[in-house]
Amino acid sequence: MLINLNMNKEVREHNVKLCREKGIVLPTFKQMAHPEQVPEEIKAKLKKVGLWDVNPLNLFRITWHNEPQEKGGQFGGVNYIEIPRAITGTKARVFALVGKYFPTGAHKVGATYACLAPALATGNFDASSQQAVWPSTGNYCRGGAYNSALLGCQSIAILPAEMSKERFEWLKKVAGEVIATPGCESNVKEIFDKCHELDAERGKHIVIFNQFEKFENYLWHYAITGQAILDVLDKEGIKDENVCGYASSTGSGGTIAAGDRLKERYPHLKISAGEALQCPTLLRNGFGGHRIEGIGDKHVPWVHNVKNTDMICAIDDEDCMRIFRLFNEPAGLKYLKEVVGLSQKDMDNLKLFGISGIGNMLSAVKMAKYYEMEEDDVVFTILTDSSAMYTTRLSEQTALHGEFTSDDAARVYGGSMMHQGMEDALELSYYERLRVHNLKYYTWVEQQGKTYDELNRQWYDRNYWKEIPQDLEKIDELIEEFNKDVGILK
Ligand SMILES: Cc1ncc(COP(=O)(O)O)c(C=O)c1O
């Protein structure tokens, strides 16, 4: 069993009691994928709740279907955009899911809920007495701290010290404890070390929800992100043969799991794993610091199904930073409006791109060019969070490079965007995939206590990855029974 669904009845009782006292109802996976199934009494109450409010009703807003408004929003279609060809420079169409309208402003809140809900409903985490530990490079621990606050339980957020100021400031208000580990984005080993230290110090008093190894993270994206993309493809009436690519960077390796779901319906679809060129772990077994916050951590996450990955796209973080300036600085916006001629709608959408979202877009561009995709072909990608998470990065760039001018805008548009090519994109042969998979050995077997046998099963056992979605129904049943025992819903 890859997801722990063993029951601890005594602890489960504590959680039932806590949720009853606090009036908490847990959404099922089915409801997150199809929020039209959320009970009417909850929808009615949500009319008075802000998208980011620390209110347990917002657990029901862990879905791609939130109406994009600050307060009182209900559920509509999936939040997504088509990125215009004037930005991608590709013949193919590029679509992206929009993460900005999740509570906390990033989709990572979904992966944390996917870890918490089964643990609560089985009693594998005692929300009344234990602290939930959320090791992360940023958004995952924001999501975890947020969900913990909704439940009224204590949390510990762990993230590298060099992450953006916005993240730390917000976390200080929401998390019980915030621990900054040495280094930047790619220093995940230091985060794992801190987890072991906490485990040794606090033992039974904490539960570590390690996104890099928890299959609940995989499952949430397989089921929820995957379904959202399928909904968009249906809505847009894209023919099966034209659904050609899914481009996702890997941080914890969760988001890329949506590709596994898509491949079931479109077996010809290619999946690309993105990383920063400055930390080319997948591409070259490489390492290094970089500035695409949230991705690429000098290791291959345990939950990344490497055998199903067709391509690696390494993205230059300098391109991401320059495009981020182009999308947000006045001279960049003026250029895109007046010279490139973007529509007002496309201009408004520029704020939906965080730095990793720009990286994902560039991966989609590389894929479309590499596979010579035509006008009707589609590549899908993800905007995990939005520009709101990185405003201080803009002033840092200005301090470093000076004001962003119209000349800069022309250079970035012509270079980083229109001239984005196939360099640092690698289509994976069978043995190149195996090389990437084998890298897991050093992190997971040597350092983190996984077995050699399981590592081999990930590669050789054709049922290994298929087992994970088989738990979906069981998890929903457990959540429904839990809610029934809590007894809040009529
Ligand atoms: C901004 C951002 N982009 C991308 C990712 C990568 O997503 P995943 O961890 O699902 O691979 C993360 C993960 O935290 C993130 O915060």
Side-chain angles (χ1 to χ4, degrees), residues 55-104:
N55 180 324
L57 286 167
N58 267 339
L59 291 171
F60 283 86
R61 289 204 171 114
I62 300 179
T63 172
W64 291 99
H65 293 251
N66 290 317
E67 281 185 336
Q69 59 193 63
E70 268 178 32
K71 195 166 179 171
Q74 297 285 295
F75 306 115
V78 172
N79 290 312
Y80 75 100
I81 56 171
E82 179 167 2
I83 308 175
R85 289 189 174 97
I87 288 182
T88 62
T90 58
K91 278 198 208 167
R93 302 173 73 183
V94 178
F95 288 90
L97 293 189
V98 169
K100 180 181 167 72
Y101 302 110
F102 279 88
T104 74

Side-chain angles (χ1 to χ4, degrees), residues 105-108 111 136-142 163 167 185 211-212 217-218 221 248-257 274 292-297 301 303 354-357 360 382-386 389-390:
H107 77 42
K108 294 294 297 184
S136 163
T137 54
N139 283 327
Y140 178 77
C141 69
R142 292 175 67 253
M163 292 296 94
R167 289 190 166 137
E185 179 47 58
Q211 57 171 338
F212 302 93
N217 177 15
Y218 175 99
H221 287 289
S248 167
S249 49
T250 62
S252 66
T255 312
I256 199 169
I292 311 179
E293 295 183 43
I295 75 164
D297 306 314
V303 301
I355 296 168
S356 77
N360 274 347
I382 307 287
L383 310 182
T384 305
D385 56 13
S386 71
M389 223 59 79
Y390 307 97

Side-chain angles (χ1 to χ4, degrees), residues 87-237:
I87 288 182
T88 62
T90 58
K91 278 198 208 167
R93 302 173 73 183
V94 178
F95 288 90
L97 293 189
V98 169
K100 180 181 167 72
Y101 302 110
F102 279 88
T104 74
H107 77 42
K108 294 294 297 184
V109 73
T112 63
Y113 177 73
C115 292
L116 258 184
L120 288 169
T122 53
N124 282 301
F125 167 61
D126 190 337
S128 65
S129 65
Q130 291 179 305
Q131 284 180 299
V133 182
W134 304 103
S136 163
T137 54
N139 283 327
Y140 178 77
C141 69
R142 292 175 67 253
Y146 179 77
N147 282 336
S148 306
L150 300 190
L151 291 161
C153 72
Q154 289 297 311
S155 62
I156 306 177
I158 308 181
L159 76 168
E162 290 170 30
M163 292 296 94
S164 67
K165 280 197 199 100
E166 287 89 333
R167 289 190 166 137
F168 278 101
E169 275 158 22
W170 186 86
L171 270 170
K172 269 187 226 146
K173 289 184 249 157
V174 178
E177 230 177 301
V178 182
I179 300 178
T181 49
C184 70
E185 179 47 58
S186 67
N187 291 68
V188 166
K189 168 72 167 51
E190 289 74 359
I191 296 174
F192 289 163
D193 291 347
K194 178 51 77 179
C195 286
H196 291 306
E197 209 181 296
L198 283 175
D199 197 27
E201 270 172 20
R202 305 192 195 179
K204 281 200 311 245
H205 302 292
I206 59 169
V207 172
I208 299 169
F209 294 100
N210 183 347
Q211 57 171 338
F212 302 93
E213 64 171 336
K214 290 209 58 95
F215 286 100
E216 292 90 326
N217 177 15
Y218 175 99
L219 184 63
W220 192 82
H221 287 289
Y222 173 95
I224 311 300
T225 306
Q227 184 60 50
I229 296 173
L230 293 176
D231 288 351
V232 175
L233 293 168
D234 286 342
K235 181 179 165 224
E236 291 281 341

Side-chain angles (χ1 to χ4, degrees), residues 1 3-13 15-16 117-125 474-475 477-479 481-482 485:
M1 204 172 19
I3 295 177
N4 181 4
L5 298 179
N6 296 325
M7 295 298 283
N8 181 331
K9 287 194 179 147
E10 197 185 323
V11 173
R12 181 182 180 277
E13 256 323 295
N15 294 336
V16 166
L120 288 169
T122 53
N124 282 301
F125 167 61
K474 176 78 192 150
I475 292 174
E477 269 170 35
L478 287 166
I479 293 175
E481 278 164 28
F482 183 85
D485 289 352

Side-chain angles (χ1 to χ4, degrees), residues 138-438:
N139 283 327
Y140 178 77
C141 69
R142 292 175 67 253
Y146 179 77
N147 282 336
S148 306
L150 300 190
L151 291 161
C153 72
Q154 289 297 311
S155 62
I156 306 177
I158 308 181
L159 76 168
E162 290 170 30
M163 292 296 94
S164 67
K165 280 197 199 100
E166 287 89 333
R167 289 190 166 137
F168 278 101
E169 275 158 22
W170 186 86
L171 270 170
K172 269 187 226 146
K173 289 184 249 157
V174 178
E177 230 177 301
V178 182
I179 300 178
T181 49
C184 70
E185 179 47 58
S186 67
N187 291 68
V188 166
K189 168 72 167 51
E190 289 74 359
I191 296 174
F192 289 163
D193 291 347
K194 178 51 77 179
C195 286
H196 291 306
E197 209 181 296
L198 283 175
D199 197 27
E201 270 172 20
R202 305 192 195 179
K204 281 200 311 245
H205 302 292
I206 59 169
V207 172
I208 299 169
F209 294 100
N210 183 347
Q211 57 171 338
F212 302 93
E213 64 171 336
K214 290 209 58 95
F215 286 100
E216 292 90 326
N217 177 15
Y218 175 99
L219 184 63
W220 192 82
H221 287 289
Y222 173 95
I224 311 300
T225 306
Q227 184 60 50
I229 296 173
L230 293 176
D231 288 351
V232 175
L233 293 168
D234 286 342
K235 181 179 165 224
E236 291 281 341
I238 310 293
K239 287 195 193 131
D240 286 9
E241 71 216 46
N242 294 123
V243 181
C244 294
Y246 175 61
S248 167
S249 49
T250 62
S252 66
T255 312
I256 199 169
D260 286 6
R261 176 82 187 281
L262 298 179
K263 246 194 205 191
E264 285 170 11
R265 201 205 271 184
Y266 311 105
H268 58 277
L269 170 125
K270 305 284 186 194
I271 299 174
S272 160
E275 64 181 356
L277 182 59
Q278 285 71 13
C279 181
T281 307
L282 307 177
L283 186 67
R284 301 187 184 125
N285 299 2
F287 45 86
H290 68 88
R291 295 169 293 170
I292 311 179
E293 295 183 43
I295 75 164
D297 306 314
K298 291 196 290 218
H299 81 291
V300 184
W302 186 243
V303 301
H304 178 180
N305 183 3
V306 179
K307 207 172 189 175
N308 219 15
T309 302
D310 302 287
M311 172 175 235
I312 293 163
C313 289
I315 303 299
D316 193 329
D317 67 0
E318 182 59 26
D319 282 337
C320 294
M321 299 314 288
R322 287 180 188 184
I323 295 173
F324 188 63
R325 297 186 87 194
L326 180 73
F327 283 7
N328 292 283
E329 291 290 359
L333 294 170
K334 189 167 185 306
Y335 183 88
L336 290 172
K337 191 167 175 61
E338 293 174 8
V339 181
V340 177
L342 289 191
S343 68
Q344 192 51 50
K345 185 165 155 246
D346 290 332
M347 292 295 298
D348 293 342
N349 286 344
L350 298 174
K351 65 177 185 311
L352 301 175
F353 290 76
I355 296 168
S356 77
I358 292 170
N360 274 347
M361 171 184 75
L362 295 179
S363 289
V365 167
K366 283 185 185 296
M367 268 191 115
K369 291 188 175 170
Y370 185 93
Y371 289 110
E372 300 185 297
M373 292 184 200
E374 295 293 339
E375 273 85 358
D376 291 333
D377 293 338
V378 164
V379 190
F380 229 107
T381 193
I382 307 287
L383 310 182
T384 305
D385 56 13
S386 71
S387 62
M389 223 59 79
Y390 307 97
T391 47
T392 53
R393 293 295 183 214
L394 283 178
S395 39
E396 282 168 21
Q397 288 294 301
T398 304
L400 274 171
H401 305 292
E403 195 101 333
F404 191 80
T405 64
S406 56
D407 283 353
D408 292 327
R411 267 194 292 271
V412 174
Y413 182 74
S416 300
M417 292 181 66
M418 291 300 112
H419 201 59
Q420 192 65 230
M422 303 185 310
E423 61 284 353
D424 308 311
L426 175 72
E427 188 173 21
L428 296 177
S429 68
Y430 183 86
Y431 285 103
E432 272 156 353
R433 289 170 214 226
L434 185 55
R435 167 189 60 81
V436 177
H437 167 82
N438 285 344

